[in-house]
Amino acid sequence: MKLDSTYLIKDSEAPDFGDAHVQVAKFQPMSYVAGPGCRCVVWVAGCRRRCPGCFQSQFFDFAAGELTAVEALANRILEVEGIEGVTFSGGEPFEQSAALSRVCEIVKRESNLTTLAYTGYRAEALASDLPKHGAFLNSLDILIDGAYEQHLAGRYLWRGSSNQKVRMRDVGDEQADLELPLLEGDVLNANAPEVQVAVDDETLVLTGFPDDDVDDALRRSLLKRGVILGPQQRSSKRGPTR
């Protein structure tokens, strides 16, 4: 398997999901670490990158999860009470641009929720293929782009490595700004990570960008209280997968 400089598998193509269905790998109704405020998170299946340090390998497979109709996914998002937005992660959301743009269209038509997507592509590369990605790009309020670089990993809010950029569109801006200017300020400050602990079925789930120190500290603290966890299992809004 040959990779390019962004860990993308060379000479590979993603399946064509069309614009009627999304292959959903995981759905989390509420998260406080997947962007600003409380958000619903949709992890889509399939990724052609193999970034060193990725712990979302269960989402590499384009057949992971369940094929879901666009309208059904949009309604599932809209039915979640108390959220401020929806975040698309994966996997690679931009391998399913057409369908996700339709999900965003419905969500924005029926609510005031903001939309955010993570991607291993750079915004400039996505903007160079407007027929494929333009509608999805234009439906986003926030884009966090760039492949995860293990040697640049650190404690960053919403991101796994410092090369990844947070790009935000001005609220109410009717002009398409496909470059999505870089968001400056506190959001990029180091030492500001957020990790959420939740119980999913019988699994303790860490979301956000939990490193080994966080995981080990949690396990030691629970052990002191007589709680023993099984083999390590994690799920993340956008962990070190790029």
Side-chain angles (χ1 to χ4, degrees):
M1 181 171 59
K2 296 182 178 180
L3 308 178
D4 68 12
S5 61
T6 65
Y7 315 111
L8 187 69
I9 301 173
K10 292 184 177 180
D11 301 321
S12 64
E13 295 291 338
D16 184 1
F17 289 99
D19 65 355
H21 296 84
V22 178
Q23 189 74 23
V24 178
K26 184 177 176 63
F27 184 94
Q28 184 175 6
M30 303 182 78
S31 171
Y32 293 88
V33 295
C38 181
R39 313 182 68 80
C40 167
V41 184
V42 178
W43 283 270
V44 302
C47 184
R48 296 187 292 142
R49 280 192 167 79
R50 297 296 181 266
C51 300
C54 174
F55 60 82
Q56 293 288 51
S57 58
Q58 71 270 32
F59 298 155
F60 284 169
D61 188 350
F62 283 95
E66 182 177 349
L67 193 64
T68 305
V70 162
E71 293 81 3
L73 178 57
N75 288 334
R76 189 176 182 186
I77 294 167
L78 292 167
E79 288 171 357
V80 181
E81 298 182 357
I83 59 174
E84 299 171 45
V86 55
T87 293
F88 299 100
S89 187
E92 173 53 67
F94 279 87
E95 302 295 6
Q96 302 187 49
S97 290
L100 290 178
S101 70
R102 291 191 57 210
V103 173
C104 291
E105 179 184 358
I106 297 171
V107 167
K108 284 184 169 291
R109 186 176 67 232
E110 302 295 333
S111 73
N112 293 319
L113 298 179
T114 61
T115 53
L116 180 157
Y118 285 88
T119 179
Y121 294 101
R122 280 300 186 195
E124 294 79 8
L126 296 171
S128 69
D129 191 353
L130 296 185
K132 183 176 182 180
H133 300 302
F136 189 27
L137 275 173
N138 283 330
S139 70
L140 295 174
D141 299 298
I142 303 174
L143 179 74
I144 301 178
D145 68 331
Y148 172 72
E149 296 281 356
Q150 193 172 29
H151 67 286
L152 297 176
R155 299 172 65 80
Y156 303 102
L157 184 63
W158 305 343
R159 302 174 298 151
S161 57
S162 61
N163 64 295
Q164 295 171 319
K165 295 182 179 180
V166 179
R167 304 171 186 266
M168 180 175 288
R169 192 188 310 279
D170 291 335
V171 177
D173 184 0
E174 296 180 356
Q175 299 297 318
D177 183 0
L178 295 177
E179 293 185 356
L180 293 170
L182 182 66
L183 179 63
E184 303 288 355
D186 291 342
V187 73
L188 297 182
N189 287 349
N191 302 316
E194 294 180 336
V195 176
Q196 178 173 315
V197 181
V199 177
D200 184 0
D201 295 326
E202 296 182 355
T203 302
L204 189 67
V205 179
L206 302 182
T207 56
F209 293 89
D211 56 26
D212 290 338
D213 291 341
V214 172
D215 185 70
D216 292 342
L218 176 61
R219 288 170 180 275
R220 290 195 300 270
S221 179
L222 291 175
L223 183 60
K224 291 179 180 179
R225 292 162 173 78
V227 179
I228 301 175
L229 300 182
Q232 178 173 320
Q233 298 183 29
R234 288 184 182 172
S235 175
S236 137
K237 70 168 176 64
R238 186 63 179 184
T241 61
R242 295 284 185 239

